Amino acid sequence: MVYWKLNYKKKFIWNLLQIPVVIALIILLSNNLSLFLSIVFITALIAVSIITLFYTYYKWKKEKQIDT
């Protein structure tokens, strides 16, 4: 399975399944960093995850409208 060859519905589902991985990364890596770096790291991970979810959802719905 290659991520770039998936349609947007499958990309969206794949990104939803990555949420536990992101949470685990936040928990594991933020303990070893300073407070400032932890805040930056957590904010960046959450922002990228949310943006990716919204983008793939939007493209999935747009792709669905084109098919119908």
Side-chain angles (χ1 to χ4, degrees):
M1 177 174 79
V2 179
Y3 179 82
W4 303 112
K5 292 183 180 181
L6 298 175
N7 63 19
Y8 282 105
K9 179 180 179 181
K10 291 179 182 177
K11 285 181 183 180
F12 179 74
I13 294 169
W14 177 257
N15 290 331
L16 281 177
L17 293 174
Q18 294 304 312
I19 291 174
V21 175
V22 170
I23 293 170
L25 279 173
I26 288 171
I27 292 170
L28 291 174
L29 295 178
S30 66
N31 291 335
N32 298 329
L33 299 174
S34 68
L35 179 62
F36 175 74
L37 287 177
S38 293
I39 292 171
V40 170
F41 179 70
I42 291 168
T43 305
L45 275 176
I46 291 172
V48 167
S49 298
I50 290 172
I51 290 168
T52 304
L53 281 173
F54 279 118
Y55 177 76
T56 53
Y57 180 79
Y58 170 76
K59 294 296 274 189
W60 168 32
K61 291 302 178 180
K62 189 174 179 182
E63 183 179 69
K64 186 177 175 183
Q65 287 177 351
I66 293 171
D67 291 340
T68 57

